[in-house]
Amino acid sequence: MRNYIIADNQELTHFALESLLRKDDENIVYHAFDRAGLVALLKEHESAIVLLDYTLFDFADEDQLLIIAERFGLSDWVLISDELTPQFIRHVVYSSHQFSMVFKDGPMSEIRETLKAVNRHNRYLSQRALETIITQQLEEEAPSILTQTEKEVVKAIALGKTTKEIAAERFSSIHTVTTHRKNIFRKLGINTAHEAVKYALRAGLIDPSEFYI
């Protein structure tokens, strides 16, 4: 019997994972909806398997994620996301053997294989994750420079504005702003808005006096 913690705020994914896990009557499934809730559950179930979509949770960066995993050294983690940057994948995989990795758009067989492996305390990396790591090792990408529009969007994100607010200010569609956001995160090799704030501060796009924690 294993305890599982589903840490994914997409309702459909939540339902699908729980349905898959409950096929084994011995599995016990818990739900976490933010970082604090996840930590609280891990305190009660230190050897749980965590199924996490990092991009939907309130981690400041991957180092914070790694610190929590190290704190609960008996736990196993499965990262299930739509997109993760090559830098993130390499950092997490090289830093801790607690993490397995699979993508939501991958075949169901990979999800099943991942769960089987992790249940035996073995790590499983999907083919796509492995290829990403290898490609990143073989290629040194030239630094990407943000366009003026992307810099303005980064500044707006750093100032805490929502996608809807940014779209309204720029007389753009929400889809356009979302596309800018994805391109920015890809170019900067980041995954969260918090990391965008740090970049904006370092790059001088915002004055620290404008930013309130």
Side-chain angles (χ1 to χ4, degrees):
M1 180 188 75
R2 293 297 301 270
N3 293 320
Y4 290 83
I5 301 173
I6 299 177
D8 188 310
N9 290 321
Q10 284 184 335
E11 190 172 349
L12 183 60
T13 305
H14 221 110
F15 175 79
L17 289 173
E18 182 168 6
S19 298
L20 188 62
L21 293 171
R22 290 197 182 279
K23 287 183 177 180
D24 184 340
D25 293 335
E26 294 186 354
N27 290 334
I28 300 176
V29 182
Y30 301 92
H31 302 278
F33 298 97
D34 56 25
R35 179 167 45 87
L38 176 57
V39 171
L41 283 170
L42 282 169
K43 287 180 179 178
E44 296 181 23
H45 312 284
E46 294 187 355
S47 61
I49 296 174
V50 180
L51 308 179
L52 169 71
D53 188 335
Y54 171 82
T55 61
L56 298 179
F57 253 54
D58 55 341
F59 288 99
D61 51 34
E62 60 263 39
D63 288 327
Q64 188 176 63
L65 172 63
L66 289 165
I67 288 169
I68 292 175
E70 184 178 4
R71 177 181 173 188
F72 300 100
L74 297 177
S75 62
D76 293 294
W77 296 66
V78 180
L79 296 180
I80 307 178
S81 297
D82 288 317
E83 295 183 17
L84 291 169
T85 64
Q87 294 89 340
F88 173 90
I89 294 173
R90 285 189 65 192
H91 186 189
V92 171
V93 169
Y94 287 168
S95 298
S96 173
H97 286 279
Q98 289 173 258
F99 288 90
S100 295
M101 195 167 297
V102 68
F103 291 88
K104 287 183 177 179
D105 60 356
M108 181 60 71
S109 59
E110 281 194 336
I111 301 288
R112 292 194 179 96
E113 285 300 314
T114 303
L115 294 176
K116 287 180 183 178
V118 175
N119 195 45
R120 298 190 298 268
H121 300 287
N122 295 327
R123 177 154 77 170
Y124 184 96
L125 298 176
S126 71
Q127 184 65 31
R128 178 175 161 191
L130 288 170
E131 290 174 356
T132 299
I133 293 169
I134 293 170
T135 300
Q136 186 71 10
Q137 287 175 330
L138 296 176
E139 297 179 359
E140 286 294 332
E141 295 181 350
S144 297
I145 300 174
L146 299 184
T147 66
Q148 183 58 39
T149 297
E150 289 169 343
K151 289 178 182 178
E152 292 169 2
V153 173
V154 168
K155 180 176 179 179
I157 292 172
L159 293 175
K161 296 179 181 178
T162 66
T163 300
K164 185 176 180 180
E165 289 171 337
I166 298 170
E169 288 182 358
R170 300 188 60 80
F171 302 101
S172 300
S173 69
I174 291 176
H175 174 74
T176 298
V177 175
T178 300
T179 299
H180 284 315
R181 182 187 176 102
K182 287 183 178 179
N183 289 337
I184 290 164
F185 281 28
R186 175 179 54 79
K187 286 183 178 182
L188 298 181
I190 61 177
N191 293 283
T192 67
H194 182 83
E195 292 171 305
V197 171
K198 292 195 291 186
Y199 169 81
L201 287 167
R202 289 196 304 267
L205 297 178
I206 58 172
D207 190 313
S209 63
E210 296 180 89
F211 179 67
Y212 300 95
I213 299 176

